[in-house]
Amino acid sequence: MNELDAHLLVVDDDERIRSLLKKFLMRHGFLVTTARDAAHARRVLAGLEFDLIVLDVMMPGEDGMALTRALRETLQTPILLLTAKGETDNRIEGLEAGADDYLPKPFEPKELLLRINAILRRMPDTSAADTAPKVLSFGAIRYDMERGELWQGDELVRLTATEVQLMKIFSAQPGVALSRAKLVEELGRDRGQAQERAVDVQITRLRRKIEVDPKQPQYLQTVRGAGYMLAPD
């Protein structure tokens, strides 16, 4: 995806921050729509499609965490959380809710720009023509490598942008154990223990979607001392 074609939704209850972010992001080539709270965001999302949602966690009424969980029931759109809470547990909670990344406040606008571009680059390019479709099987679950889609029978299994990218990374090297540090690097994240813990959270969520028993994984295995490995049928 060309980042400059992207349409962003910025949700923040602080009018000054909303205005500053809109001006800054538009100056860098994005199309930007803003919403003042969760209810306003829902109305906007009912009528428009977005490439990415920048969402403040601390909002009156329905907060960003609750809205993320609700949106994830029907939307795959990447979500970047803005949080005033820098503690790891709060960031992990955001990722478990379905966010693709987080940025603690206060932040440099340039860092927000870098995070947004990194997320958009991770999204699959739907226009990319490929050779014959390859399908990996995990029991009743099928993974279409060409489309980056997970299917259970005729039902499409919803994946977040990060889960799409993880499946892409693993399916390129089935049967190969990939370390958490390697996965962090492939996802384009900063190195560090917090990001490696975040990968563990994403793996746990992904297992719920492909494993019969996520607590005893058969297909997305933990290889002691080496990392994680995808083992299709």
Side-chain angles (χ1 to χ4, degrees):
M1 175 186 293
N2 178 355
E3 293 94 57
L4 298 184
D5 296 335
H7 189 181
L8 311 182
L9 174 61
V10 174
V11 188
D12 198 305
D13 62 305
D14 187 317
E15 187 179 351
R16 187 182 64 87
I17 291 175
R18 269 202 319 275
S19 177
L20 286 171
L21 288 181
K22 181 171 184 174
K23 285 176 186 170
F24 174 77
L25 293 168
M26 288 182 74
R27 208 162 58 234
H28 285 85
F30 293 103
L31 180 61
V32 182
T33 298
T34 61
R36 64 186 166 271
D37 56 26
H40 188 195
R42 287 174 184 277
R43 290 196 296 276
V44 172
L45 286 162
L48 290 169
E49 285 191 7
F50 293 90
D51 297 295
L52 186 140
I53 301 167
V54 178
L55 177 58
D56 186 35
V57 170
M58 303 294 284
M59 294 189 294
E62 185 180 14
D63 69 11
M65 294 283 191
L67 181 59
T68 297
R69 285 190 195 93
L71 293 179
R72 274 292 165 256
E73 292 176 13
T74 55
L75 276 186
Q76 292 175 266
T77 310
I79 296 173
L80 172 63
L81 290 179
L82 303 179
T83 171
K85 299 175 179 176
E87 294 83 11
T88 302
D89 287 346
N90 295 118
R91 301 200 297 258
I92 296 295
E93 185 187 351
L95 294 169
E96 285 182 325
D100 294 273
D101 205 352
Y102 53 81
L103 189 57
K105 289 180 175 181
F107 55 82
E108 289 292 328
K110 188 176 180 185
E111 185 178 1
L112 175 65
L113 190 65
L114 290 171
R115 296 288 184 101
I116 288 171
N117 285 334
I119 292 172
L120 292 175
R121 279 196 298 273
R122 295 203 300 267
M123 290 301 288
D125 186 352
T126 50
S127 66
D130 210 343
T131 51
K134 295 177 184 174
V135 176
L136 299 178
S137 295
F138 312 100
I141 304 285
R142 300 186 323 281
Y143 176 66
D144 186 326
M145 293 176 67
E146 183 183 19
R147 294 175 175 271
E149 292 175 347
L150 206 59
W151 292 83
Q152 182 165 18
D154 296 330
E155 292 284 315
L156 181 64
V157 179
R158 294 192 179 279
L159 296 175
T160 66
T162 304
E163 289 166 351
V164 166
Q165 184 67 359
L166 279 173
M167 285 301 297
K168 194 173 173 183
I169 294 164
F170 280 121
S171 63
Q173 303 178 73
V176 176
L178 301 173
S179 69
R180 291 193 300 174
K182 175 70 173 170
L183 292 170
V184 168
E185 183 186 332
E186 291 271 348
L187 288 169
R189 305 278 174 87
D190 300 328
R191 292 178 186 173
Q193 281 191 320
Q195 290 290 4
E196 290 188 13
R197 273 188 66 193
V199 164
D200 291 339
V201 173
Q202 305 283 2
I203 295 289
T204 300
R205 282 173 40 202
L206 196 48
R207 279 175 173 160
R208 289 182 202 139
K209 298 180 180 182
I210 66 174
E211 300 284 357
V212 176
D213 181 359
K215 291 183 178 173
Q216 294 187 312
Q218 180 183 348
Y219 302 113
L220 189 45
Q221 300 174 1
T222 300
V223 181
R224 192 179 294 278
Y228 297 107
M229 179 179 78
L230 191 67
D233 290 332

